[in-house]
Amino acid sequence: MPMLSSSMNCVAEFFTYETTKSVVVKSWTIGVINRAVQLLIISYFIGWVFLHEKAYQVRDTSIESSVVTKVKGFGKYTNRVMDTADYVTPPQGTSVFVIITKQIVTENQVQGFCPESEVKYSCVSDSDCQRPVPTTGGGILTGRCVNYNRNLRTCEIQGWCPAEVDTVQAPIMLEAENFTLFIKNSIRFPLFDFEKGNLLPNLTAQDIRTCRFHPVTQPFCPILRLGDIVRFAGQDFSKLASTGGILGIKIGWVCDLDRAWEHCVPSYTFTRLDSVSEKNNVSPGYNFRYAKYYRRENGTEYRTLMKAFGIRFDVLVYGNAGKFNIIPTLINTVAAFTSVGVGTVLCDIILLNFLKGAEQYKAKKFEEVTDVTLRHSPVYRSSQMLGGRNDEKQSTDSGAYSIGL
């Protein structure tokens, strides 16, 4: 029986109905809190959501972009005049390219057998050259210990000989600081079929020849000086040219298409992308190797190996565009009006738990009505009368209680 009674109570609790009851609380404290919260919510939606974030717009973040680059300038390195064909790789003018600022050159390498140049491969006998890993930085170990010079014996390798010595000090090409970089960028937002480029209509041929980018005085000039790029990224040119590094040139297109076409303009920012490797003692900077191959008259192939240190530039394009649309406008407007009700929730918490008169407020706000209560109410009995005057009892009570705290 107790279980049956408990089950019936659960069923009765499930089949209940809750409705809103209005209670007017005449309190300056609650009134000020309520209006202040409502004002903050409305200010947030107007100031941040609609004006700053432009929530009334539909946005296109799938930007399509193409980048063409061109470097100009002459440098002098080891008594040779260097032009773009010598120090820019790859030469196709892509969005990622390297300007070589320092080289360690090993000339006249041919396939054969020679001693390894690294000190860690020094030896006394052939047994010292029996290593678990049979390769080195210069070739494949043969297992023999040979003379490197009068004072040193090292393990012999098979590969391109003589072996590279990359610990020598090499100068840097200081003229690279004054090289110029031309960037041509075209973008498109497919959702709005909007196209534009960084070569703005007011730029003339004379401007292209003479202007140099500056974030304040020349923010839309597409010609950038390499030394300025390094400085804007917070780096020292001499140090970066010596060790190598990777710099990012970011072109941002954040456009409000509700405004005129000419207001959609690019913004340039600069940063070092490999700042973590800069602090690494194992492999700081950026370098790579490449070779130029030749053939002698007797058919013997030989090469010049170059270990190049340089500054790699990554041109990164990002952006989004927005335009008015009725759907996000309606959604965020409804959200704003709905959020105003948060003030009511906060005031209820304060009234029910913290203010004097909380018990009186609870008694007025929460009321339980059962079938028995309805049957004994005067309105219910008057509606059940069959004889006498057929008068209908009407109530002018709105159901709102007024409490003064």
Side-chain angles (χ1 to χ4, degrees):
M1 289 300 291
M3 291 185 61
L4 180 61
S5 176
S6 176
S7 300
M8 293 300 295
N9 288 336
C10 290
V11 172
E13 289 292 331
F14 179 76
F15 290 104
T16 58
Y17 168 70
E18 295 181 1
T19 186
T20 304
K21 181 178 181 180
S22 297
V23 179
V24 179
V25 181
K26 295 181 178 180
S27 168
W28 277 96
T29 304
I30 295 299
V32 169
I33 293 174
N34 182 42
R35 298 307 178 194
V37 172
Q38 290 177 345
L39 181 61
L40 286 173
I41 293 172
I42 293 172
S43 300
Y44 165 76
F45 273 92
I46 293 175
W48 179 263
V49 176
F50 284 99
L51 296 181
H52 185 272
E53 294 296 317
K54 295 182 173 60
Y56 56 86
Q57 293 181 333
V58 61
R59 306 203 71 80
D60 185 3
T61 58
S62 58
I63 185 173
E64 299 173 354
S65 171
S66 69
V67 174
V68 176
T69 59
K70 186 181 293 185
V71 181
K72 287 188 176 181
F74 291 92
K76 198 170 183 181
Y77 193 77
T78 60
N79 294 323
R80 293 176 56 200
V81 175
M82 309 277 283
D83 61 14
T84 54
D86 296 313
Y87 60 74
V88 177
T89 182
Q92 290 85 4
T94 61
S95 61
V96 179
F97 60 94
V98 180
I99 295 180
I100 298 171
T101 54
K102 186 176 82 171
Q103 288 183 334
I104 297 176
V105 181
T106 306
E107 296 181 315
N108 299 320
Q109 283 190 319
V110 296
Q111 284 285 323
F113 297 88
C114 57
E116 176 59 78
S117 60
E118 295 184 58
V119 178
K120 66 180 180 179
Y121 290 101
S122 60
C123 59
V124 177
S125 63
D126 291 348
S127 60
D128 296 327
C129 297
Q130 306 297 325
R131 305 290 178 93
V133 180
T135 58
T136 69
I140 299 175
L141 290 170
T142 62
R144 293 191 295 269
C145 183
V146 297
N147 292 328
Y148 180 78
N149 54 36
R150 292 181 179 179
N151 303 316
L152 179 66
R153 288 168 61 85
T154 61
C155 296
E156 185 184 57
I157 60 168
Q158 181 181 5
W160 288 97
C161 297
E164 178 192 47
V165 180
D166 61 356
T167 56
V168 298
Q169 295 296 319
I172 63 173
M173 186 166 56
L174 294 174
E175 291 84 359
E177 189 172 6
N178 293 313
F179 292 168
T180 58
L181 169 64
F182 170 69
I183 300 177
K184 184 167 66 173
N185 175 220
S186 300
I187 59 101
R188 178 174 178 267
F189 292 105
L191 181 62
F192 308 116
D193 196 24
F194 179 88
E195 297 178 334
K196 199 165 185 183
N198 68 326
L199 304 182
L200 303 182
N202 59 340
L203 283 174
T204 64
Q206 180 63 26
D207 293 333
I208 295 295
R209 285 193 293 268
T210 59
C211 77
R212 293 294 180 269
F213 174 85
H214 189 276
V216 177
T217 58
Q218 294 283 346
F220 305 122
C221 177
I223 309 293
L224 300 90
R225 179 176 168 270
L226 260 60
D228 292 337
I229 296 174
V230 174
R231 181 165 53 86
F232 293 147
Q235 302 296 311
D236 177 78
F237 185 85
S238 297
K239 182 179 178 182
L240 191 65
S242 178
T243 61
I246 305 174
L247 298 184
I249 302 173
K250 299 180 180 179
I251 306 177
W253 294 86
V254 181
C255 299
D256 183 358
L257 301 187
D258 292 327
R259 305 179 68 189
W261 181 86
E262 57 268 16
H263 288 290
C264 180
V265 293
S267 63
Y268 297 81
T269 55
F270 310 90
T271 184
R272 179 159 185 179
L273 300 179
D274 64 334
S275 56
V276 175
S277 79
E278 178 188 8
K279 304 168 186 176
N280 192 337
N281 295 324
V282 177
S283 179
Y286 175 80
N287 62 78
F288 60 96
R289 289 176 174 83
Y290 69 101
K292 295 181 179 179
Y293 294 86
Y294 310 93
R295 192 174 296 275
R296 295 191 176 97
E297 293 182 357
N298 61 3
T300 303
E301 183 183 41
Y302 69 101
R303 73 176 188 179
T304 298
L305 176 66
M306 282 157 283
K307 181 178 181 180
F309 297 79
I311 306 173
R312 196 181 92 181
F313 294 90
D314 292 14
V315 183
L316 311 172
V317 181
Y318 68 95
N320 62 80
K323 197 171 186 179
F324 174 80
N325 189 279
I326 190 63
I327 295 177
T329 303
L330 290 176
I331 292 173
N332 287 283
T333 301
V334 171
F337 284 115
T338 305
S339 300
V340 171
V342 174
T344 304
V345 176
L346 179 61
C347 290
D348 276 349
I349 293 173
I350 296 172
L351 275 170
L352 292 170
N353 298 280
F354 302 106
L355 286 188
K356 183 176 67 175
E359 293 300 325
Q360 183 185 2
Y361 178 69
K362 287 180 183 178
K364 294 296 185 182
K365 182 173 177 63
F366 303 109
E367 183 178 356
E368 184 175 308
V369 180
T370 64
D371 289 342
V372 176
T373 306
L374 289 173
R375 291 193 188 98
H376 287 82
S377 68
V379 177
Y380 182 85
R381 288 199 302 271
S382 65
S383 66
Q384 299 297 317
M385 292 176 63
L386 299 178
R389 293 180 303 168
N390 190 16
D391 295 335
E392 181 179 354
K393 184 175 179 64
Q394 297 181 352
S395 174
T396 58
D397 188 0
S398 65
Y401 288 88
S402 179
I403 300 175
L405 296 178

